[in-house]
Amino acid sequence: MLGRFRLRQTMQKVSRSGAAGELQLNALIADLWWRVRLMNTDILEEEARAGVFDVREPTYPLLALNLRSRRDNLVSTIGVLEQRTKPASEAA
């Protein structure tokens, strides 16, 4: 919940400011990609610990499944944020 609030605050600040806002948005996107890489590592470690790598297996670790879902949501959010940077970049 707190993470969503911070993301919303950052997005509001970015939408109100010009070039500085674009830099903040790019920094936010970079941070989110870093978090995606961390989640990928955590997923691989959990799969290795359980010895199950196929999501379709009934014994696939629940933690890895939840991390995959969160990662996919982050990647989707990053896509939306990257779309917001395109018009500003194309105008320059």
Side-chain angles (χ1 to χ4, degrees):
M1 182 71 166
L2 186 58
R4 274 193 228 153
F5 178 71
R6 285 185 188 155
L7 177 61
R8 190 175 309 131
Q9 274 187 325
T10 303
M11 288 176 68
Q12 287 171 349
K13 287 179 189 175
V14 167
S15 65
R16 284 188 235 126
S17 54
E22 187 177 349
L23 288 174
Q24 284 181 326
L25 183 57
N26 287 330
L28 176 62
I29 291 169
D31 180 64
L32 292 176
W33 275 123
W34 173 73
R35 291 173 192 274
V36 166
R37 288 190 299 274
L38 284 178
M39 284 184 176
N40 283 336
T41 301
D42 290 343
I43 291 166
L44 291 172
E45 287 176 359
E46 188 62 22
E47 289 173 341
R49 186 192 63 75
V52 181
F53 299 91
D54 187 354
V55 179
R56 296 169 293 180
E57 289 290 323
T59 56
Y60 189 80
L62 187 58
L63 177 59
L65 200 57
N66 288 334
L67 286 169
R68 282 175 170 272
S69 177
R70 292 181 68 192
R71 180 205 54 201
D72 293 346
N73 286 338
L74 267 182
V75 169
S76 176
T77 299
I78 292 168
V80 170
L81 293 174
E82 287 177 339
Q83 287 297 318
R84 290 182 70 169
T85 65
K86 283 188 180 179
S89 299
E90 290 171 359

